[in-house]
């Protein structure tokens, strides 16, 4: 069997993930050992618990991934791992494991920026080369709009000044007493609610730039909730979720399409955990159709944290001739995309 497979490890936060991609970026397998249930009682990720569990889960997950993919160690031609941004104690587990494997196999090691993984993920499975486009990345830790010229050539047009969109979903979910993480639950409940029931602010929607701010929205949600008092009916919660979601989606859509307009890019992509949001997906699709733009949405399996996107990014970097990282490369919890 050809030895150009990329084995990738992602442990930047609370998901232990391993994937294998072929030389052209086709994903053979992408597995996630989720820690969501473990952190749920705390209402957020506990870094110490996350890293301990990565170290327990990672090795068996790698073995399982290779067995299920039907490949052996000799077929691995490169190893990749997320080097940041993320929790340092979590990043270290994936980074050192991947480097040890690369030493053992005497093959190149690629240290991959988690945000580049998200950014390129809408191209997974399409068989299309990465061309110039505008990317919206919306996750639990980041919200940014990036002008992409090619693989490895990124210009950040704007990002959030405070909370990320996913973070706002999760914090408001917590306020409402919903299951952790709040984003998917709010998304589901919003489908049954009235989007106009509550008048939440669309901060910075008319600022004319690509900066975001979601902390005012979170405060406004807090006040609205306090005003409702203790006894809130289920249908009011649905309305609350629908109105809150719409406020976030309005801002994301406005800025994304403004970026396309300003730059003249004809292709736009949306990635990151929040890109699973149904309302965001349908609004982006409708707007792209109306403007005659092409839209690539990340597939749900590659939206929330996964190693498939890391394997894909490493394979694309290798394909375009970007040199592998040295084994002395370091992790960086605050790693920047550009
Ligand atoms: O990309 P991701 O898995 O992790 C980070 O890199 O941060 O994103 C996780 C975020 C969480 O905040 C989660 O609530 C949000 O994505 N999320 C959603 C949905 N599914 C996941 N937010 C809104 N609607 C969803 N359906
Ligand atoms: Zn992520």
């Amino acid at each position: 069997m050809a030895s150009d497979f990329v084995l990738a490890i992602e442990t930047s936060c609370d998901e232990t993930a391993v994937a294998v991609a072929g030389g052209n970026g086709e994903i053979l397998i992408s597995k996630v050992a989720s820690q969501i249930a473990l952190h749920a009682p705390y209402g957020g990720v506990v870094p110490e618990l996350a890293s301990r569990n990565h170290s327990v889960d990672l090795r068996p997950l790698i073995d399982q991934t290779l067995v299920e993919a039907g490949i052996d160690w000799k077929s691995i031609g490169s190893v990749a791992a997320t080097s940041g941004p993320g929790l340092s104690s979590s990043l270290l587990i994936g980074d050192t494991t991947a480097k040890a494997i690369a030493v053992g196999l005497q093959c190149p090691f690629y240290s991959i920026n988690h945000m580049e993984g998200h950014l390129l993920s809408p191209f997974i499975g399409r068989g299309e080369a990465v061309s110039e486009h505008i990317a919206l990345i919306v996750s639990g830790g980041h919200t940014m709009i990036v002008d992409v010229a090619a693989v490895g050539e990124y210009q950040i047009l704007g990002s959030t000044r405070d909370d990320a969109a996913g973070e706002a979903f999760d914090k408001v979910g917590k306020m409402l007493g919903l299951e952790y993480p709040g984003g998917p639950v709010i998304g589901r409940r919003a489908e049954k609610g009235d989007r106009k029931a509550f008048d939440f602010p669309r901060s910075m929607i008319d600022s004319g730039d690509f900066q975001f701010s979601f902390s005012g929205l979170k405060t406004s949600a807090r006040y609205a909730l306090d005003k409702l008092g203790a006894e809130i009916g289920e249908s009011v919660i649905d309305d609350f979720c629908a109105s809150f979601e719409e406020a976030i989606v309005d801002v994301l859509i406005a800025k994304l399409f403004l970026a396309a307009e300003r730059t003249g890019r004809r292709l736009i992509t949306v990635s990151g955990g929040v890109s699973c949001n149904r309302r965001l997906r349908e609004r982006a699709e409708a707007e792209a159709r109306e403007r005659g733009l092409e839209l690539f949405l990340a597939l749900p399996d590659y939206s929330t944290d996964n190693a498939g996107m890391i394997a894909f990014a490493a394979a694309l970097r290798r394909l375009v001739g970007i040199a592998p990282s040295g084994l002395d490369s370091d992790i960086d919890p605050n790693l920047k995309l550009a």
Side-chain angles (χ1 to χ4, degrees):
M1 203 180 290
S3 67
D4 69 344
F5 290 120
V6 182
L7 173 72
I9 298 174
E10 151 66 43
T11 60
S12 66
C13 190
D14 59 336
E15 309 289 36
T16 314
V18 178
V20 177
N24 293 317
E26 64 283 13
I27 306 294
L28 259 71
I29 189 164
S30 179
K31 292 186 73 70
V32 179
S34 178
Q35 294 186 12
I36 286 186
L38 190 75
H39 300 278
Y42 303 94
V45 176
V46 183
E48 168 74 15
L49 270 184
S51 56
R52 274 168 178 249
N53 280 273
H54 287 314
S55 66
V56 172
D57 293 342
L58 184 54
R59 182 60 217 257
L61 191 65
I62 294 170
D63 289 342
Q64 209 183 328
T65 302
L66 294 183
V67 168
E68 282 182 34
I71 58 173
D72 58 18
W73 289 106
K74 289 196 290 291
S75 319
I76 305 296
S78 318
V79 184
T82 305
S83 55
L87 301 167
S88 54
S89 52
S90 286
L91 288 164
L92 273 171
I93 309 284
D95 179 77
T96 42
T97 305
K99 283 174 179 164
I101 294 172
V103 169
L105 296 177
Q106 296 191 312
C107 70
F109 168 72
Y110 288 83
S111 92
I112 301 293
N113 185 314
H114 182 81
M115 303 316 293
E116 183 178 36
H118 278 306
L119 176 95
L120 297 173
S121 66
F123 288 87
I124 294 178
R126 292 184 189 271
E128 297 214 24
V130 173
S131 52
E132 53 182 36
H133 65 278
I134 293 293
L136 169 67
I137 312 175
V138 263
S139 70
H142 295 83
T143 299
M144 59 171 85
I145 293 184
V146 186
D147 187 11
V148 179
V151 174
E153 293 177 36
Y154 313 125
Q155 186 194 353
I156 297 173
L157 299 183
S159 56
T160 182
R161 293 181 164 183
D162 39 57
D163 292 348
E167 194 179 353
F169 270 108
D170 296 343
K171 285 178 177 169
V172 167
K174 203 169 178 179
M175 278 180 209
L176 290 166
L178 302 176
E179 188 191 316
Y180 167 84
V185 192
I186 291 181
R188 279 197 298 277
R189 299 205 56 150
E191 284 173 33
K192 297 177 278 175
D194 175 2
R195 297 185 189 108
K196 296 200 170 84
F198 293 84
D199 184 19
F200 289 127
R202 271 74 173 156
S203 303
M204 303 189 71
I205 197 164
D206 294 319
S207 63
D209 58 17
F210 306 105
Q211 305 298 312
F212 297 89
S213 168
F214 294 110
S215 71
L217 170 61
K218 189 184 61 191
T219 310
S220 170
R222 174 81 269 163
Y223 285 145
L225 204 55
D226 289 347
K227 223 163 134 188
L228 285 169
E231 295 293 312
I232 317 172
E234 293 299 313
S235 71
V236 178
I237 295 183
D238 293 344
D239 290 347
F240 197 99
C241 291
S243 303
F244 172 77
E245 177 187 78
E246 196 70 356
I248 292 196
V249 171
D250 273 351
V251 179
L252 295 176
I253 292 292
K255 303 249 174 189
L256 171 60
F257 286 90
L258 178 66
E261 199 179 300
R262 287 261 179 88
T263 57
R265 301 288 197 216
R266 307 297 302 165
L267 170 65
I268 50 178
T269 66
V270 187
S271 62
V274 182
S275 73
C276 288
N277 184 272
R278 246 168 119 166
R279 183 68 181 154
L280 177 61
R281 295 176 86 87
E282 66 186 29
R283 288 277 306 276
E285 276 163 355
E287 195 73 30
R289 210 177 307 122
E290 198 167 297
R291 294 173 183 244
L293 300 176
E294 201 168 2
L295 171 71
F296 290 177
L297 297 168
L299 295 170
D301 278 353
Y302 300 115
S303 293
T304 47
D305 289 349
N306 66 91
M309 67 184 193
I310 304 303
F312 185 70
L316 293 198
R317 288 180 82 85
R318 195 172 67 175
L319 272 179
V320 302
I322 298 174
S325 333
L327 289 172
D328 55 352
S329 66
D330 205 356
I331 57 135
D332 180 354
N334 301 308
L335 188 63
K336 300 283 179 268
L337 181 65

